[in-house]
C-alpha cells in the first residue's frame, strides 16, 4: 500500500484505540463478591469499574485523543516524535490493563476498602470471596494494541504523508476579499462608473463583449472625425487658395 495513503488509517486507528480505552475505563471490569461475615450476610456482588481497577487509563486515553489533532497538522519531523509517543502510550495502556486483569484481587482492593473499611493489600485479599472479570479489560487491551499499531504506522510512513497546503485557501480568500471590496464601494462611485459608461456609448444591459466592441467602434469614429477637423485643407475655399 502507498505510504502516502496511510495517514487516514493511522488517525482512525488512534481515535478508535483511544476511544476504547476511555469507554472501557468507565465500565464494569470485575464483579466482586465479599465474604458474608464482612458485609453482614448480604452476599450481593459489587461492580468494580475501570476507574477503580485501573485509574491511569483515563489520562492515557485522553492523551491518545490529543495525538489525533497533533498528527493531523504536524510536519514530518514532528510526526516521528508523535509516533514514538503513541507507541509508548499504547504500551502503557497494555501494561496497565494487563496488570489489572492478571491480578484481579489487587485491582479490587480499593472497592473492598470502600465496602468494609478494611485497608491493606493482605487484609482486603482475605475478604474477597470471588472476582469475576468482564469483557471490558480485554477491550482496553485491544485499544492499547491499536494505539501501538497506529504509532508504528506513523513511524514507518509518517515522513511520506502529504503535507496540508494553504494555496487553495489563500487564493479563495483573496478572491473573496476582492469581491467584498467591490461590494463595499459606495453607491455614488458605482453610479459615476455607470454614467461614464453611458457617455462612452456603453449599454449596461448589453453583454460585456458587445459593449467592448461598441466602445471600440465609437472611439474609431471619434478619431476619424478629429482627424478631418484638424486638416486645414478641408476647410480652405478655392477663392482663398487663389488669393
Amino acid at each position: 500500500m502507498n505510504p502516502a495513503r496511510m495517514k487516514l488509517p493511522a488517525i482512525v486507528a488512534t481515535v478508535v484505540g483511544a476511544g476504547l480505552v476511555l469507554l472501557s475505563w468507565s465500565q464494569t471490569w470485575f464483579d466482586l463478591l465479599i465474604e458474608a461475615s464482612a458485609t453482614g450476610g448480604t452476599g450481593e456482588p459489587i461492580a468494580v469499574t475501570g476507574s477503580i481497577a485501573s485509574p491511569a487509563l483515563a489520562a492515557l486515553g485522553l492523551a491518545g485523543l490529543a495525538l489525533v489533532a497533533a498528527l493531523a497538522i504536524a510536519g514530518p519531523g514532528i510526526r516521528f516524535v508523535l509516533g514514538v509517543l503513541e507507541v509508548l502510550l499504547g504500551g502503557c495502556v497494555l501494561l496497565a490493563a494487563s496488570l489489572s486483569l492478571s491480578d484481579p484481587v489487587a485491582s479490587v482492593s480499593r472497592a473492598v476498602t470502600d465496602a468494609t473499611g478494611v485497608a491493606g493489600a493482605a487484609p482486603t485479599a482475605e475478604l474477597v470471596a470471588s472476582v469475576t472479570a468482564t469483557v471490558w479489560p480485554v477491550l482496553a487491551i485491544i485499544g492499547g494494541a491499536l494505539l501501538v499499531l497506529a504509532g508504528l504506522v506513523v513511524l514507518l510512513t509518517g515522513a511520506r504523508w502529504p503535507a496540508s497546503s494553504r494555496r487553495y485557501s489563500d487564493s479563495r480568500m483573496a478572491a473573496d476579499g476582492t469581491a467584498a471590496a467591490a461590494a463595499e464601494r459606495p453607491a455614488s462611485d458605482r453610479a459615476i462608473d455607470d454614467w461614464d459608461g453611458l457617455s462612452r456609448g456603453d449599454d449596461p444591459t448589453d453583454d460585456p463583449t458587445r459593449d467592448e466592441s461598441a466602445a471600440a467602434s465609437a472611439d474609431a469614429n471619434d478619431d476619424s472625425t478629429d482627424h478631418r477637423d484638424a486638416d486645414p485643407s478641408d476647410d480652405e475655399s478655392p477663392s482663398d487658395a487663389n488669393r
Side-chain angles (χ1 to χ4, degrees), residues 13 24 42 45 57 84 90 96 133 135 137 160 162 183 192:
S24 301
T42 58
L57 290 184
V84 173
V135 71
R160 285 167 284 183
I192 293 173

Side-chain angles (χ1 to χ4, degrees), residues 129 172 181:
R172 183 174 181 179

Side-chain angles (χ1 to χ4, degrees), residues 59-84:
L60 296 174
L62 291 175
L65 292 180
L67 280 175
V68 175
L71 287 172
I73 61 176
I78 302 300
R79 288 189 203 120
F80 181 83
V81 177
L82 294 176
V84 173

Side-chain angles (χ1 to χ4, degrees), residues 6 18 119 137-138 161 175 205 230 233:
M6 296 303 296
V138 178
W161 287 0
T205 61
S233 61

Side-chain angles (χ1 to χ4, degrees), residues 32 43 46 49 73 98 108 147 158 180 194 236:
L32 168 65
I46 300 174
T49 62
I73 61 176
S98 298
V108 301
L147 291 175
D194 294 339
E236 186 177 5

Side-chain angles (χ1 to χ4, degrees), residues 29 41 48 67 70 77 89 99 109 138 141 144 151 154 167 172-173 181 187 202 207 210 222 236:
W29 280 36
V48 181
L67 280 175
L89 184 66
L99 288 176
S109 176
V138 178
I141 292 175
V154 173
R167 181 178 302 174
R172 183 174 181 179
M173 289 177 63
D202 296 341
D207 184 75
R210 294 201 303 269
D222 293 341
E236 186 177 5

